[in-house]
Amino acid sequence: MLEPRARWMRLVCLLLLCVYLCLLRESSARRAPKIPRCPATCSCTKDSAFCVDTKAIPKSFPPGIISLTMVNAAFTTIPEGAFSHLHLLQFLFIENNDIQALSKYTFRGLKSLTHLSLSNNNLQQLPRDLFKHLDILTDLDLRGNSFRCDCKIKWLVDWMEKTNTSVPAIYCASPFEFQGRRIHDLAPRDFNCISADFAVYETFPFHSVSAESYEFNGDNFVAFAQPDSGFCTLYIWDHVEMVFRRYHNITSRSAVYCKPVVINNTLYMVVAQLFGGSHIYKWEEDPLRFVKIQDIDTSRVRKPNFVETFQLDGEWYFIVADSSKAGSTSIYRWNSNGFYSHQSLHPWHRDTHVEFLDVGGKPHLILSSASQPPIVYQWNRSQKQFAFHSQITELADVQMVKHFWVRKVLYLCLTRFIGDSKILRWEGQRFVEIQTLPSRGSMAVYPFTVGLRQYLILGSDFSFSRVYLWDDLTQRFQPFQELNMRAPRGFDLVSVDNKDILLAASFKGNTLAYQHLLVDLSAK
């Protein structure tokens, strides 16, 4: 019989042995993790898995899987990183399903993938750069899908043009103009994916009735006529802050138009006023200020409404449209010392606007009037005078006439406060109406181009102002965008520092600057 001490030592040894064996068992369990089983809806071999009727991408597969096939899946979308746990995957076949949408990052992490099939699904488009990180992809099958060949697929056309991956022929299911076309035969230039938007860029805290931009000494300026203060306020473009900032004021009583003109590197400003007569100012550099150099004859110009400047045969002129019952629209010509009265036109007819343009190589003026249809005057070079030529149309209440060119064809827009505006085309001998635009409450119209895009904006006192875009196919303007501005009276476009800024003078609200933004629809 063992003594108590010996029995005690034996018990301790047995206890230590048990602890050791437990630790050994736990260590072995950590070193040998449980091997994932094949998902219930799949059949697996050593290196492949074939899945049918799965409700989602299985989270785990046996190790060593390099090929995965999924058919008749019970889901329609595949999310981001769905296969990232299968980083050894080389062959992926997602075929004969109802897959309708993929994430841009569906195939993230599949660096070893060489073969991919998405055939016979219900895909109409693919996310941009879907295959960007599949660096060694050699075969891609997209057959049997109903691809919509619009801007969302432009990137794929570009990618197939550059990739070394083999892609069997696929076809467009829509839209109509591309239906049945082989996508390989399309080119990126077949898609018109550049749209645009006018977004508020800067707000000026004052009302204005004219906005005239100009360049002087390498800087970009804009002059606003302010009905509340009566001032001509000048703003200069800040190339650092990329905004217009206040620069100078011309103190006046009731300015309705501030028209800049640069002659022989000298800046002049024609300030047309309702009261106290109209004046001409000259900019002086030392000190920086405008100095009044000339008054405009108040017996001729009583109620100015608009000022236009132009050059003829190397000489500078400006013309003031007079809207009073007793005044006369008048032309002034520059000589070495100032502007002097040259010719009176169209007395007693309450003119609202004047447009200078060249028709068939001959200078013309078109006067809009509140009392009769627009009148056309033609320049007589021998007499150096404008002579009555014709009336454009029987339309009355034409507030403004503006011209524009499209593919060397001359057009006019006549805007009306009551009634519709008209687009006319020059047919060699006369202007012919080609389009009617609804424009109730419109006192200002402005055609302008940004790049190759021809726009027309119609201001409105009663509703949103409308921007139209010229459509080359129909040879008509199509509605493009509505802008919320209050009682617009004038527009001007400034292109500076790779920005296109549309200025909008507002009689009853803040004056606004809109930026023209290009939007690539294929990049979304």
Side-chain angles (χ1 to χ4, degrees), residues 468-488:
Y468 293 86
L469 178 63
W470 183 261
D471 179 36
D472 280 327
L473 184 63
T474 61
Q475 299 287 290
R476 300 289 188 274
F477 280 111
Q478 301 296 332
F480 181 77
Q481 189 176 351
E482 291 185 336
L483 301 179
N484 186 11
M485 56 185 72
R486 298 185 63 192

Side-chain angles (χ1 to χ4, degrees), residues 450-480:
V450 178
L452 299 176
R453 303 167 73 88
Q454 175 68 54
Y455 291 102
L456 181 83
I457 181 168
L458 278 172
S460 175
D461 281 16
F462 302 139
S463 63
F464 289 102
S465 296
R466 291 189 175 96
V467 181
Y468 293 86
L469 178 63
W470 183 261
D471 179 36
D472 280 327
L473 184 63
T474 61
Q475 299 287 290
R476 300 289 188 274
F477 280 111
Q478 301 296 332
F480 181 77

